[in-house]
Amino acid sequence: RLLAPLGWPIQGLGVIPQVCTSFGEAGVRSQLAALGRGRPPMGPAVARSRAARPPLPPAEAIQIRDSCPPAEGREPDMTVARFLFEHPAAYATATIAH
């Protein structure tokens, strides 16, 4: 069993990102706009994943993971990285625990 330092389960759940690029360009634009306004777009999903404790029922893990399904690296990932690099306040919003 793999647990993050704060006790939430990585195994079976993974790590929920602060910005999800799995839903395409429009989703990325919406999330970056939210970050620009100081709102963490994945905040509720991240909080739910961090509140989870083992043993985590598979159905609950699937619900949490559905907030950002796994995807291969692609151009939206680089778009987000550039945005966060160029906008320090948005980077702070994305990296500060909420």
Side-chain angles (χ1 to χ4, degrees):
R1 192 164 51 165
L2 298 173
L3 301 178
L6 295 178
W8 48 272
I10 294 173
Q11 187 170 340
L13 183 57
V15 176
I16 304 300
Q18 296 289 345
V19 178
C20 180
T21 60
S22 297
F23 296 113
E25 295 286 334
V28 168
R29 281 193 302 275
S30 173
Q31 290 184 69
L32 294 181
L35 281 174
R37 292 188 302 274
R39 288 190 9 245
M42 293 292 294
V46 170
R48 187 172 176 197
S49 72
R50 290 183 179 170
R53 292 294 179 266
L56 189 63
E60 185 176 349
I62 290 169
Q63 285 179 339
I64 294 170
R65 284 299 314 152
D66 281 349
S67 64
C68 187
E72 294 294 320
R74 51 195 171 163
E75 185 56 32
D77 296 335
M78 292 305 296
T79 299
V80 170
R82 283 195 277 301
F83 179 87
L84 294 174
F85 182 74
E86 294 169 357
H87 299 88
Y91 176 81
T93 298
T95 57
I96 295 173
H98 296 277

